[in-house]
């Protein structure tokens, strides 16, 4: 299939595929890149995964994910930092330069979004230099505001950039994901801001479909099925100077219930049709 | 109960109560105001409702709701404007000066948020003078971004004010509802902007609780049960010069399944405890 030169499949989209099945299917479909997740990498083995993708000539475009920096308890914070240093090490071993961060929600009982965001900044200050020394950039992902309480208090690109810009761009940048920002009329200007600072560390696509499922986690739409004009957003990101991989990352119970190779082929075709 | 001088119960919170039960319960609990909805008003009868609340000495703080201005089809647009003129007339008959507007989502198949927002502006231009002549102000309600596709393309206070400020403040202002804006670190500045322009036409409270239910409509949390610091938001609104009624508007299947008078008493008590 042509038009896939910049396509990368995020592993979560086809999580029903084993690591070797994923790699083999990418080769068959001439998909050049994959975004990996820590849990399946650890299940298959870190070194074994690194060898598998390297031997196949696949680019690892991101590792998902670090973060969860909002705890107040000192021991919990120390554990989170340790775990994030391990994630950086894993990213370096896998040969990717980008670790995606989901920052974390409000601690139980807290109503203090500002304080939670400041604790994220503290963690980035500790983790950024460690990551840069290993050739890994941290990519703060603003999640849709519907996740602000329980998953990620960073809800907009502007908030993510306000955090990232406290640090050098080779340490901390942002993840631009259409699913989380498509509703935001200020996002195009923030993409320009991110691009000007060299802080667009990854660009991900998912479509917005309704009704949202209970818990709102696993309803990300297949490209072309929803309300988001993918070419419009690709245009903003490219106008901002980004020319890197474009990952499709879908959490979708319907897709997970189907044959993984078929979903992968469909996703690649939808990418070409709607975002290529 | 003391501390209820500015409290108003939005009818939807206790929709299991009939109109006479609602009015009677408000009198018993010394609740001075109600926000009404068009459908139950029409069921009970417009003039009968107006007489009921007037005789009881209850203030009608808002009528919910007009809007749904985003259709492209000319006939559908004409029908929406007719319906909104009827809503204005109903508001005037009920003695409230505020009609809450939910602007509408994307038309089927459309991905054009900007175009939809412009069609809202067109409708406001037609409806604003009609409303002002009848002593009714239109209050654009930004809904949480999770409703951008299917319910309301106006997702932030900034977007709502960008629309409202094209018109005089006695025609068009905004609804400030904690549920929809609590995640937004720019909202406090936008509340100040709204207050400076005399455009805070109503202030509503609901708490943010997770997990969200399927469809994300009926999971608004009872005051005090969730992540929102109600006194913080009341502080922003009062610092902006707002001294009007404070409505509690909850859509919550759990509350709807209980005795309505008990829910009303609980809601009033929560208001005093967390927002009074």
């Amino acid at each position: 299939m042509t038009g896939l030169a910049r396509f990368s499949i995020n592993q979560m989209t086809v999580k029903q595929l084993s690591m070797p099945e994923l790699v083999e299917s990418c080769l068959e479909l001439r998909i050049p890149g994959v975004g990996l997740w820590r849990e399946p990498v650890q299940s298959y083995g870190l070194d074994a995964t690194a060898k598998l993708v390297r031997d196949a000539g696949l680019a690892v475009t991101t590792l998902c994910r670090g973060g969860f920096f909002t705890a107040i308890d000192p021991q919990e914070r120390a554990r989170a930092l340790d775990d994030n240093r391990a994630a950086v090490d894993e990213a370096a071993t896998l040969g990717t330069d980008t670790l995606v961060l989901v920052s974390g929600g409000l601690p139980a009982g807290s109503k203090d979004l500002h304080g939670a965001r400041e604790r994220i900044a503290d963690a980035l200050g500790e983790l950024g230099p460690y990551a840069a020394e290993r050739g890994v950039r941290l990519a703060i992902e603003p999640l849709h505001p519907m996740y602000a309480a329980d998953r990620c208090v960073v809800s907009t690109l502007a908030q993510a950039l306000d955090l990232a810009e406290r640090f050098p761009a080779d340490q901390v940048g942002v993840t631009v994901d259409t699913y989380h920002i498509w509703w935001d009329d200020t996002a195009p200007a923030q993409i320009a801001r991110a691009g000007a600072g060299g802080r667009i560390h990854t660009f991900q696509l998912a479509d917005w479909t309704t009704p949202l499922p209970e818990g709102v986690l696993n309803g990300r739409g297949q490209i072309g099925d929803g309300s988001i004009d993918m070419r419009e957003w690709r245009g903003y990101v490219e106008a901002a100077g980004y020319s890197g991989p474009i990952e499709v990352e879908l959490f979708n119970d319907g897709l997970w219930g189907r044959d993984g190779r078929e979903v992968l082929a469909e996703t690649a075709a939808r990418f070409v049709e709607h975002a290529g």
Side-chain angles (χ1 to χ4, degrees), chain A:
Chain A
M1 190 179 295
T2 57
L4 292 178
R6 291 177 56 196
F7 178 65
S8 172
I9 186 71
N10 186 285
Q11 174 167 34
M12 190 59 88
T13 308
V14 286
K15 70 172 185 177
Q16 61 271 54
L17 294 179
S18 71
M19 198 67 83
E21 288 170 345
L22 173 67
V23 169
E24 190 186 321
S25 304
C26 284
L27 290 181
E28 283 171 16
L29 293 162
R30 302 180 184 272
I31 292 169
V34 288
L36 297 178
W37 278 66
R38 294 183 70 197
E39 295 74 9
V41 166
Q42 286 161 4
S43 294
Y44 188 70
L46 176 63
D47 292 330
T49 304
K51 181 172 181 350
L52 186 72
V53 295
R54 194 172 52 238
D55 289 352
L58 272 178
V60 181
T61 53
T62 62
L63 180 65
C64 300
R65 58 194 182 182
F68 298 97
F69 294 132
T70 52
I72 294 170
D73 175 68
Q75 286 193 319
E76 217 177 311
R77 291 183 62 70
R79 272 197 301 274
L81 280 170
D82 283 347
D83 188 53
N84 275 277
R85 280 186 281 265
V88 167
D89 295 344
E90 292 160 21
T93 300
L94 292 167
T96 180
D97 62 359
T98 303
L99 177 65
V100 174
L101 300 183
V102 170
S103 299
L106 289 171
S110 170
K111 301 175 197 267
D112 180 12
L113 287 170
H114 176 75
R117 290 174 185 141
E118 287 305 308
R119 290 192 296 281
I120 295 166
D122 291 345
L124 293 170
E126 292 204 42
L127 202 62
Y130 182 91
E133 282 165 21
R134 285 150 187 84
V136 175
R137 308 169 306 176
L138 307 174
I140 305 171
E141 180 163 21
L143 293 204
H144 193 284
M146 67 188 176
Y147 302 116
D150 55 356
R151 197 156 295 265
C152 184
V153 296
V154 180
S155 302
T156 62
L157 265 181
Q159 291 172 356
L161 286 164
D162 287 347
L163 283 167
E165 288 172 355
R166 301 191 196 183
F167 310 98
D170 70 335
Q171 292 183 13
V172 187
V174 298
T175 297
V176 176
D177 185 321
T178 57
Y179 189 77
H180 299 300
I181 64 170
W182 76 283
W183 56 271
D184 181 0
D185 61 345
T186 72
Q190 297 299 320
I191 288 173
R193 171 184 167 193
R199 293 183 193 268
I200 303 177
H201 287 353
T202 176
F203 177 42
Q204 299 182 329
L205 307 181
D207 213 339
W208 183 271
T209 52
T210 56
L212 294 166
E214 184 183 356
V216 301
L217 268 185
N218 301 328
R220 299 196 196 180
Q222 176 60 280
I223 307 304
D225 281 353
S227 303
I228 305 178
D229 184 334
M230 297 296 165
R231 285 208 175 82
E232 179 186 347
W233 290 97
R234 181 172 170 161
Y236 296 136
V237 168
E238 292 185 347
Y242 182 79
S243 58
I246 305 175
E247 270 187 34
V248 175
E249 184 191 49
L250 310 177
F251 298 7
N252 185 305
D253 286 319
L255 297 179
W256 290 335
R258 291 168 48 195
D259 176 78
R261 289 165 194 260
E262 181 191 303
V263 172
L264 184 56
E266 175 187 288
T267 304
R270 292 294 189 93
F271 175 84
V272 172
E273 182 183 353
H274 296 280

